[in-house]
Amino acid sequence: NLDGGVFINSESYKSNYTVEDTYTPPEVQKSEYVFLNWEPKKINEGTTGELTLTAQWTPDIGAQLMEGPDLNKALKDLIISVNGKTESALTDLRSIRAVQPSSTKPNIDNEYVINVSTNEIPIYVEYNISDRTNMYWYCRSQIICPSNMSGAFEGLTSLKDIYSLICLRHKKTGKYKFDVSKPNTDISNMFKNTSVDINDYTSYTDGDYIGVGTSGRVGQVISGWCNGWENISNYENMFKDSQLEWSII
C-alpha cells in the first residue's frame, strides 16, 4: 500500500514472495511528505500467506540536525565504536577527508551508520570502513541546523571537502540543503583544526539539489549559505586553526 506515493525505483519491486525470501520493498516518495519506512518493515524468511506492507509517511517539515557539540561527539564516537579505543581510531579520526552526500539509503542495521537527527525525519551518516577517509550523509529532506553549530566538525584534521554541507541549493526553491538561516546561529569553531579548502571543489548534485559555484571570494559562498551575515554569530572563528583562516576570506 503506497498510500499516495510512487516508487523511486520500481525495478526492485516485486509483488510475490516465497517462504525462503527476505525482502524489503524499495523506497517511495510523495509530494510534501517524507517516507519513513514500511509497516511491517520487511518480509522475513519463513513468512507465509497474503501480506500487505504499508508506506509510513511524515509531513516534510525538515530534518532537525543535532547541535554542533553533540554532532561532533557522535561522529567521533562512530569512528571509535568501529575501531575501539585504539591508536587506529585516532588515526582514522585524523584521516577523514570528506563528508559527502549519498543518494542511496544505507543499511541502518550496520554498526557504522548513525542517525544524527533529533526529530522523526532521519539524517543518516555512514562511515566508509573500506577506505576510512570518507563519511556519507543521507537525508530525504532539507536539513535544518540548530542555532548552535559550534565545533561541529572540530578536530577532523584532514577534513577538506565540505562542499555538500555549504554549497547545495534546491533547483526550484533556492533553499540550501543544510539550512543555517536561524537568527544568530553560532558557527564558531565549526571547522576548527581542519584542512578545509572551499576553492578546491568539484561541483556535484544531490537529487533536487545542485551545487553552487565556489569561484571568487570564499566569504561570498559562506554569506550565501548563511543567508546573510546578520543570521550568524562568531563567524570569524569558523575556521580557527584550520588551513583556511578567516583572515584570507
Side-chain angles (χ1 to χ4, degrees), residues 2-6 28-30 33-36 55-59:
L2 303 184
D3 190 22
V6 295
V28 289
Q29 60 186 5
K30 182 167 66 170
Y33 286 84
V34 175
F35 172 72
L36 296 177
Q56 305 297 301
W57 304 95
T58 189

Side-chain angles (χ1 to χ4, degrees), residues 61-207:
I61 58 173
Q64 299 288 333
L65 185 64
M66 289 178 175
E67 291 195 346
D70 295 331
L71 177 61
N72 185 269
K73 183 178 186 302
L75 296 179
K76 291 177 178 178
D77 284 350
L78 171 60
I79 296 176
I80 291 173
S81 70
V82 174
N83 294 280
K85 295 183 178 180
T86 63
E87 184 61 31
S88 176
L90 296 177
T91 299
D92 283 357
L93 280 172
R94 302 185 189 111
S95 300
I96 297 297
R97 296 199 300 263
V99 181
Q100 298 178 334
S102 172
S103 59
T104 304
K105 182 180 179 180
N107 181 353
I108 61 176
D109 294 327
N110 287 337
E111 63 178 339
Y112 44 88
V113 175
I114 58 173
N115 179 12
V116 295
S117 171
T118 61
N119 69 356
E120 194 174 18
I121 301 175
I123 308 168
Y124 293 117
V125 175
E126 181 176 16
Y127 173 42
N128 187 344
I129 61 172
S130 61
D131 66 15
R132 301 180 185 270
T133 61
N134 294 313
M135 285 186 170
Y136 296 95
W137 56 264
Y138 173 89
C139 183
R140 298 297 301 172
S141 181
Q142 186 184 32
I143 296 173
I144 311 299
C145 297
S147 57
N148 179 12
M149 285 298 293
S150 62
F153 301 94
E154 179 180 349
L156 301 179
T157 55
S158 295
L159 179 61
K160 186 172 185 177
D161 184 356
I162 59 169
Y163 185 90
S164 70
L165 302 180
I166 67 173
C167 293
L168 287 182
R169 298 180 69 177
H170 197 278
K171 296 175 184 176
K172 295 181 179 179
T173 67
K175 293 182 178 179
Y176 281 80
K177 181 72 174 184
F178 280 78
D179 179 12
V180 289
S181 62
K182 287 186 177 180
N184 298 314
T185 296
D186 183 359
I187 59 173
S188 62
N189 301 322
M190 189 172 177
F191 299 105
K192 180 180 178 181
N193 193 19
T194 65
S195 301
V196 169
D197 184 357
I198 292 177
N199 285 314
D200 192 33
Y201 297 157
T202 300
S203 190
Y204 50 74
T205 61
D206 174 48

Side-chain angles (χ1 to χ4, degrees), residues 4 24 43 137 200 248:
T24 302
I43 298 174
W137 56 264
D200 192 33
I248 69 172

